[in-house]
Amino acid sequence: MTQRLNFPGRSSLLAVTLLTSLPALAATETSPYYFGVSQAVTGDWNVFRRPDGQPQPRDVISSTGLLAGIDQPFGRLRLGASAAVNANRFKNNKQLNNTDHDTRLQLDWSSIERLSGDVVVYDRSSLSRYDLSSAEGTQSEKDMLRVTGGAVRARVGLVTLWSLDGGYSYEQSEHSLDELSNRDVRQGAVNAGVRLSPSDLWSARLGVRRTDGKYPNFRGAGGQEADEFTRDDIDLSLNWRPTGNSKFDARLSSTREEHNIQGQRDSRYFTGVLGYDWILTGKTRLRLQASRDTGAGRSDSDLNLLTESSDTQVRNSVAARVTWDATSKITVNAGVNYSRRKLDNAFTLSDGTTSTTDARTARDRTTIMNLSVYYQALRSLKLGCRVSHEDRSVQGDNVSTTYPYDATVSTCNLEWAFR
């Protein structure tokens, strides 16, 4: 939940700094390093994601940030690192004031032979989404969600007909609020696959994945006990470029998920993603995507506009995004995401006395629309505004498990980075 706002004294100082730096910025040479500052203002028309029919508190949030990074090759190695920290201040709900951060380090490598790979580590924190933390929509305390993880990947065969790849990834997320610690999760996954690339136009991959994870603080009917789960996937992936300005990517997986406590989540699904990229003109690009995945051990996707919830058993979604380069300096993005979710309220009920067999299943639908405009005034100066609207509806009378709400969020930000 990225949320940002302005203080007169701070923004005035920032403006003076930028104006006095413009001549030097225009003459700056390209550098692998960058560092800078950012300032943004956000208006949120339903901060706590209160249900329809209830008062919906509004707020204005200021975010003042620092950012830095590097992208530097060293022979056959390439080092990339980035870091950003933001001080978020709420005008009305000052109990939510917080400092978030996002750091990432990546090292790409390759050998003289046909070996290559990368190592990635990351750590980030942000204010947790309120529509995911309470089925009743009454949560109003500050809850910071921290996510830490990393991955090691390797490939054999860069330009050959057949290639092998594999790796291991680990991630854990922790809530700062004690009553939400039952949603903390840790999971590690190992994967391996073989890829066939007969031409530059298409390739196919067959792979397997094994995920082991647990909710270490889950409280079942037996008291404080961890809910451990496993997920096994057999993946069939395809990349196909039928023309020079279009591309398909697809993954179909046979997925089996099993839990030692939350037995109601044991399942066998077909999951996957189907995406299509199309360059309509030299300035306009379109991305279409449909996906289906469970809440535990899911795969990342670049169009996943919804923050996943541990309440989710399975989510089906479709999304579209259009990017238009209006000029060499102005970019416009528009997107829409529609998802249908099957979920239960086991985490809301997990107070140490209730069995997960008493959990109620529900279904809801969420639509998110967004529009953004970015202006690259100078190589080191970027301005942007974004507005998004979320609307969730519930199928049937399931307000104890999920609830309907709508929210509109608008943000304008300015970023200056010396490169």
Side-chain angles (χ1 to χ4, degrees):
M1 182 173 173
T2 303
Q3 308 188 333
R4 313 188 170 215
L5 162 94
N6 199 1
F7 292 113
R10 185 179 297 157
S11 60
S12 299
L13 177 59
L14 179 59
V16 171
T17 302
L18 290 171
L19 289 175
T20 57
S21 302
L22 293 184
L25 294 177
T28 302
E29 297 181 357
T30 302
S31 168
Y33 309 94
Y34 71 87
F35 62 89
V37 295
S38 64
Q39 178 63 46
V41 182
T42 293
D44 193 323
W45 276 258
N46 188 0
V47 175
F48 299 111
R49 301 302 185 260
R50 292 286 190 258
D52 292 343
Q54 294 188 14
Q56 299 180 345
R58 303 177 179 182
D59 214 329
V60 182
I61 309 100
S62 165
S63 216
T64 303
L66 299 174
L67 54 127
I70 180 176
D71 183 6
Q72 176 68 55
F74 297 94
R76 295 183 176 274
L77 302 177
R78 188 176 195 92
L79 175 65
S82 62
V85 59
N86 296 284
N88 305 304
R89 298 295 179 262
F90 287 69
K91 181 179 180 181
N92 301 321
N93 299 278
K94 298 186 184 303
Q95 79 276 13
L96 300 181
N97 290 349
N98 67 87
T99 300
D100 66 46
H101 73 272
D102 189 347
T103 58
R104 180 183 176 88
L105 175 67
Q106 179 167 339
L107 181 66
D108 300 322
W109 59 271
S110 63
S111 71
I112 299 178
E113 299 298 329
R114 296 171 179 176
L115 296 174
S116 65
D118 56 75
V119 179
V120 179
V121 293
Y122 55 87
D123 184 82
R124 60 181 182 268
S125 68
S126 61
L127 193 66
S128 183
R129 286 174 58 99
Y130 287 96
D131 64 303
L132 305 179
S133 61
S134 173
E136 296 78 20
T138 58
Q139 180 66 42
S140 59
E141 297 180 65
K142 181 172 71 175
D143 175 45
M144 297 297 293
L145 176 63
R146 183 171 184 177
V147 179
T148 304
V152 178
R153 292 169 289 197
R155 293 172 290 276
V156 182
L158 293 176
V159 293
T160 57
L161 178 64
W162 296 93
S163 60
L164 302 174
D165 63 78
Y168 176 79
S169 59
Y170 176 82
E171 183 176 281
Q172 66 178 31
S173 64
E174 297 180 337
H175 292 262
S176 64
L177 205 58
D178 287 343
E179 60 223 64
L180 298 180
S181 64
N182 60 334
R183 297 170 182 266
D184 295 351
V185 61
R186 303 170 187 169
Q187 55 187 0
V190 61
N191 71 86
V194 57
R195 180 178 297 276
L196 170 65
S197 305
S199 74
D200 294 336
L201 300 181
W202 71 275
S203 66
R205 178 184 183 273
L206 180 64
V208 293
R209 282 182 290 154
R210 168 75 178 197
T211 304
D212 290 283
K214 67 178 178 179
Y215 298 95
N217 302 316
F218 189 84
R219 294 177 285 274
Q224 182 93 5
E225 52 185 331
D227 174 37
E228 299 181 353
F229 65 86
T230 61
R231 170 172 166 163
D232 296 300
D233 291 90
I234 301 176
D235 304 320
L236 177 61
S237 304
L238 174 68
N239 291 288
W240 177 40
R241 189 181 294 275
T243 66
N245 60 356
S246 63
K247 181 181 67 173
F248 284 94
D249 58 271
R251 174 180 57 82
L252 179 63
S253 303
S254 173
T255 302
R256 182 181 66 181
E257 182 179 332
E258 296 181 344
H259 294 251
N260 71 326
I261 295 180
Q262 297 190 78
Q264 82 282 1
R265 296 198 173 192
D266 293 351
S267 58
R268 290 177 179 268
Y269 289 110
F270 279 107
T271 62
V273 61
L274 174 63
Y276 176 59
D277 292 286
W278 182 24
I279 302 176
L280 287 77
T281 68
K283 294 185 176 182
T284 308
R285 301 176 298 280
L286 172 67
R287 169 71 177 180
L288 302 175
Q289 180 171 295
S291 64
R292 173 182 173 86
D293 215 330
T294 65
R298 65 191 183 279
S299 297
D300 293 330
S301 69
D302 62 353
L303 216 63
N304 185 9
L305 303 180
L306 297 173
T307 300
E308 193 54 271
S309 166
S310 53
D311 296 329
T312 301
Q313 292 186 8
V314 64
R315 184 195 297 277
N316 300 298
S317 65
V318 291
R321 180 178 63 210
V322 176
T323 301
W324 175 44
D325 296 324
T327 70
S328 60
K329 295 186 176 182
I330 299 176
T331 301
V332 181
N333 295 297
V336 60
N337 180 292
Y338 172 78
S339 67
R340 299 181 61 179
R341 186 172 60 144
K342 178 184 177 182
L343 69 160
D344 63 46
N345 61 342
F347 286 90
T348 303
L349 297 176
S350 61
D351 56 3
T353 61
T354 305
S355 171
T356 58
T357 57
D358 297 324
R360 296 184 59 185
T361 300
R363 299 179 185 273
D364 59 24
R365 305 176 181 181
T366 303
T367 302
I368 298 180
M369 296 179 289
N370 62 78
L371 176 66
S372 61
V373 180
Y374 297 97
Y375 174 47
Q376 192 77 45
L378 296 168
R379 186 170 56 84
S380 299
L381 178 62
K382 185 176 183 179
L383 303 92
C385 287
R386 185 178 190 271
V387 60
S388 65
H389 180 74
E390 306 174 29
D391 185 89
R392 186 164 75 191
S393 60
V394 176
Q395 296 177 258
D397 183 18
N398 293 304
V399 293
S400 64
T401 305
T402 183
Y403 62 93
Y405 78 89
D406 67 272
T408 300
V409 180
S410 59
T411 301
C412 284
N413 65 286
L414 177 151
E415 179 184 297
W416 171 78
F418 177 78
R419 301 177 186 275

